[in-house]
Amino acid sequence: MPVYIESHNVITSLGFSTKENFQNITNGKTGILQVSDANFWDNPFQASLVNKERLNQIIPDSPFTHFEKLMLASAKLAIESSSINVTSNDTLFILSTTKGNVELLATEDKDSEKTYLWNSAKVLANYFNNPNKCQVVSSACISGLMAIVIGQRFIDAGLYNNVVVVGADALSKFIVAGFQSFHSLSTEPCKPFDKDRDGLSLGEGAGTIILTNNEDIIKGHKIEVKQGAISNDANHISGPSRTGEGLLIAINNTIFNNVKPDFISAHGTATPYNDDMESKAISRANLAKVPTNSMKGYFGHTLGAAGVIESLIGIECMKNNILLKTLGLKEQGVAEDISIIKENEKREIKNMLKLVSGFGGCNAAALFIKHD
Amino acid sequence: MYQGLEDAMQLHFLLNMTKFFIHKTVAIHNNSVFVDDEKVFDTDAEEPIGSFLKQVYKNYNVGYSKYFKMDRLSKLGFLSAEILLNNTNQNNIETEHTSIILVNSAASLDTDHKFQDTVNDIASPAVFVYTLANIVIGEICIKHDIKGETAFFVQEIFNSAFVSNYANIVLSNSAAKNCIIGWIEVAPNGTYNSAMVMIKKEESELELNEINLNKIFN
């Protein structure tokens, strides 16, 4: 049973809708700035932060945390322009997040139920009066794409007619301190696939994709979530495979029958190891000539939201037939000579392969197809 | 009313699927280890989780140096998998085609609190890496060379209907031939419990479904 994208939203430093984000990205804007705020880190660092005033306008006067506002605002905006019934029991919510309300661990609420991810899922389902148990996917940085793949599978299996996938993660001192301890943050806005790349830029954000099997309610281009796959490197808990083997398995289980994607939206975190690994997997899958980009230079690594947000920007590229450049890249320098997009270019795009990888050795891939 | 409809939907769904079966159960709680409901190891009930797990490790002659750098959640999951995969008449499984679906309530909160305590001082990368719930899956995959589909879900209590459906989907749609399902919980106060089962295509007395998972996990 084909599964389509019915409505969507993206919230990052670059805007509060998929369209606003896409326009800013098309214009080459970055939301990554130097942040000097001791609430996050004692020294200035590069990050992409969501405008709190605009966020509070969407979810005003509320008891919700910053993370919960991100999650709720994105879902609310996507649902407002959707025609599915989110209060129906044939609609499932899936929340993708790595750290949820972890910022509360530094407060007097540190032992409260709010620190549990399932509680955030309850907040989400209750806000929209959905009767089903909202599911939480927490598989590091592949969570967002995995949630989309799980949603597609549940609809395909006939278990639900609609799935609302919400990916969200907020920046906190906890997360900044962690990545600082790994020495994996770049001192400048990140430079994916560049020969001088020296680490990632953190971002916060939220993305929502509403999936449905009801073809009749789709407005405009029909974008189908064709299928996806997940794999494990079985190699290292905090470093990617040196050979790209795990990601290659995910790619091969996602595209077969010699389907060549028109475009690859890579994970491209701009850490030395990740981008090398991805180039190896893409090359080994015989996709080295397929135009490939990373979105991390525009709004940083949004962790559990990344798979959702980046899929949606890629889908806008499909709808608008444009390949977007990898912001931050000056001179390509990865292990295998793959086709990183360096300038925006108009081109017919009928399908997209989205890739993500994460700590714990996990990888995911998904194929999106545009129907006329 | 919802329950009825969900049951009907699941029935409709399962009728279209190949059947899968539960082959072995490992449970660790109250400082005891159970295999297929039979107690195979225990220690003094007063012993804290850390020293209890160390005794389990010794008892099963695991001999795996990476074990000692793991956090408590990973140790519990790792040992549960050791006992599930290595210690009985388990036929050799094709680990490259094995999937893992783990679930818990506290995610990595136990280690999150430990890391938070270091954030204003010297944050440790060795602790930070365990502040992701799915790292326990990575540890099991590394030990057993498991490369199949893996997933970590967070649920207040084990949701048998969801997990049964998802495991059925994974086994039907992907290259997976076996699937490990587990509940691995370590709360910030050190209370813990785990249960883990092996699912195969090969028939057994216990079919993979919501009712049978519910008996094991709830």
Side-chain angles (χ1 to χ4, degrees):
Chain A
M1 190 185 297
V3 176
Y4 300 98
I5 295 173
E6 195 259 344
S7 182
H8 50 85
N9 166 267
V10 171
I11 297 178
T12 74
S13 57
L14 291 177
F16 282 74
S17 67
T18 311
K19 195 175 172 187
E20 188 184 0
N21 274 276
F22 179 70
Q23 278 171 350
N24 280 324
I25 291 166
T26 308
N27 293 332
K29 274 194 193 170
T30 181
I32 301 171
L33 299 166
Q34 180 160 298
V35 176
S36 303
D37 182 344
N39 288 320
F40 290 118
W41 194 244
D42 294 339
N43 301 314
F45 68 105
Q46 302 286 327
S48 162
L49 296 172
V50 169
N51 184 313
K52 283 193 173 174
E53 282 172 25
R54 283 184 72 184
L55 187 63
N56 286 334
Q57 284 165 13
I58 302 164
I59 309 288
D61 303 326
S62 69
F64 300 114
T65 64
H66 179 57
F67 161 74
E68 287 163 359
K69 285 180 190 174
L70 281 171
M71 158 185 96
L72 294 174
S74 180
K76 185 179 176 185
L77 294 172
I79 288 165
E80 276 172 4
S81 53
S82 165
S83 51
I84 69 151
N85 179 3
V86 294
T87 65
S88 162
N89 63 353
D90 71 346
T91 300
L92 174 73
F93 277 68
I94 303 179
L95 172 64
S96 154
T97 184
T98 61
K99 296 313 305 167
N101 274 327
V102 75
E103 63 177 335
L104 295 180
L105 297 191
T107 71
E108 60 190 19
D109 278 336
K110 68 186 170 72
D111 296 317
S112 107
E113 261 191 0
K114 285 185 177 181
T115 61
Y116 286 74
L117 300 182
W118 51 257
N119 188 73
S120 302
K122 266 190 187 174
V123 168
L124 178 62
N126 289 346
Y127 191 87
F128 298 102
N129 293 314
N130 180 267
N132 293 315
K133 281 227 160 59
C134 171
Q135 293 301 321
V136 181
V137 179
S138 197
S139 287
C141 302
I142 75 163
S143 303
L145 193 62
M146 211 178 134
I148 296 171
V149 171
I150 291 168
Q152 182 268 333
R153 289 173 174 179
F154 268 71
I155 294 174
D156 180 54
L159 288 163
Y160 297 94
N161 291 319
N162 315 296
V163 174
V164 180
V165 174
V166 184
D169 260 313
L171 205 62
S172 60
K173 193 168 192 175
F174 184 104
I175 289 170
V176 178
F179 282 94
Q180 289 282 15
S181 77
F182 261 108
H183 301 289
S184 53
L185 295 188
S186 176
T187 52
E188 295 167 39
C190 67
K191 303 179 278 283
F193 300 107
D194 193 272
K195 70 177 177 55
D196 295 325
R197 68 187 181 282
D198 61 350
L200 54 85
S201 300
L202 287 169
E204 62 177 5
T208 301
I209 290 185
I210 300 182
L211 303 172
T212 185
N213 55 16
N214 187 351
E215 198 175 339
D216 300 335
I217 59 173
I218 311 296
K219 297 163 229 137
H221 288 288
K222 286 193 179 72
I223 303 291
E224 182 187 355
V225 184
K226 185 67 181 169
Q227 61 202 355
I230 296 135
S231 65
N232 201 286
D233 290 336
N235 175 63
H236 196 280
I237 51 168
S238 59
S241 145
R242 295 297 172 97
T243 60
E245 175 77 22
L247 183 57
L248 179 65
I249 293 171
I251 294 173
N252 285 340
N253 287 339
T254 298
I255 51 169
F256 35 82
N257 297 334
N258 294 321
V259 172
K260 274 255 193 260
D262 293 326
F263 153 57
I264 298 172
S265 172
H267 193 41
T269 59
T271 64
Y273 288 136
N274 175 80
D275 295 6
D276 267 349
M277 180 280 289
E278 264 191 304
S279 77
K280 288 176 192 169
I282 289 168
S283 179
R284 288 178 68 186
N286 296 319
L287 302 175
K289 295 230 158 54
V290 177
T292 299
N293 70 14
S294 160
M295 286 287 116
K296 300 290 193 292
Y298 296 98
F299 43 69
H301 190 345
T302 53
L303 308 174
V308 180
I309 292 173
E310 294 168 14
S311 292
L312 283 168
I313 300 301
I315 286 160
E316 287 306 299
C317 294
M318 293 167 75
K319 290 177 180 171
N320 291 278
N321 290 313
I322 186 168
L323 295 171
L324 294 174
K325 68 179 178 188
T326 300
L327 192 65
L329 172 75
K330 286 196 182 112
E331 191 179 332
Q332 186 174 324
V334 280
E336 292 296 327
D337 190 19
I338 57 170
S339 304
I340 304 298
I341 307 164
K342 297 175 181 77
E343 292 300 332
N344 291 0
E345 183 192 330
K346 289 294 265 182
R347 190 187 297 190
E348 171 82 18
I349 308 173
K350 285 190 172 154
N351 57 44
M352 164 180 73
L353 179 67
K354 176 71 195 128
L355 307 178
V356 282
S357 296
F359 277 1
C362 49
N363 308 280
L367 184 67
F368 298 83
I369 294 179
K370 178 174 73 179
H371 298 278
D372 294 326
Chain B
M1 179 185 164
Y2 293 130
Q3 196 54 50
L5 205 131
E6 275 183 7
D7 288 349
M9 284 166 77
Q10 182 171 2
L11 191 64
H12 160 78
F13 164 66
L14 288 174
L15 285 174
N16 295 315
M17 300 292 244
T18 318
K19 286 192 167 79
F20 303 98
F21 299 89
I22 300 168
H23 276 265
K24 184 180 174 184
T25 307
V26 172
I28 304 180
H29 52 83
N30 300 100
N31 287 3
S32 304
V33 178
F34 301 84
V35 174
D36 294 331
D37 289 334
E38 193 182 324
K39 191 190 273 192
V40 292
F41 181 77
D42 66 356
T43 69
D44 182 349
E46 299 300 310
E47 213 164 345
I49 173 177
S51 54
F52 163 69
L53 291 176
K54 200 170 189 174
Q55 293 204 45
V56 176
Y57 175 90
K58 279 185 187 161
N59 182 61
Y60 283 93
N61 295 316
V62 179
Y64 187 68
S65 61
K66 284 179 188 164
Y67 173 84
F68 297 99
K69 66 175 181 59
M70 293 180 197
D71 75 341
R72 304 197 291 195
L73 183 69
S74 284
K75 281 179 174 164
L76 179 62
F78 176 87
L79 289 174
S80 303
E82 280 304 298
I83 298 165
L84 186 78
L85 292 170
N86 287 345
N87 244 288
T88 51
N89 307 325
Q90 198 65 26
N91 294 331
N92 285 337
I93 60 155
E94 291 180 64
T95 52
E96 288 218 13
H97 300 288
T98 296
S99 287
I100 302 181
I101 300 169
L102 296 189
V103 186
N104 79 2
S105 160
S108 57
L109 268 178
D110 178 37
T111 299
D112 292 355
H113 282 278
K114 290 191 178 76
F115 184 73
Q116 181 64 46
D117 292 340
T118 73
V119 158
N120 292 314
D121 192 12
I122 298 168
S124 159
V127 179
F128 182 64
V129 69
Y130 289 98
T131 65
L132 289 164
N134 65 303
I135 295 299
V136 52
I137 295 179
E139 294 286 15
I140 296 167
C141 287
I142 292 167
K143 174 70 197 303
H144 298 283
D145 199 31
I146 289 173
K147 292 178 178 165
E149 294 229 351
T150 58
F152 200 103
F153 298 105
V154 180
Q155 298 169 350
E156 186 175 6
I157 51 168
F158 189 88
N159 186 329
S160 303
F162 177 86
V163 176
S164 170
N165 285 334
Y166 190 63
N168 268 297
I169 290 171
V170 166
L171 283 160
S172 304
N173 291 4
S174 76
K177 291 179 177 163
N178 316 287
C179 181
I180 293 168
I181 294 175
W183 168 273
I184 307 293
E185 172 82 343
V186 178
N189 66 7
T191 58
Y192 71 92
N193 65 327
S194 86
M196 206 178 249
V197 297
M198 172 60 80
I199 312 293
K200 293 180 179 182
K201 287 179 180 167
E202 189 186 324
E203 275 199 41
S204 78
E205 290 161 6
L206 274 185
E207 197 182 304
L208 167 64
N209 59 36
E210 177 186 350
I211 295 161
N212 287 335
L213 283 189
N214 213 23
K215 280 182 199 155
I216 295 165
F217 287 94
N218 286 324

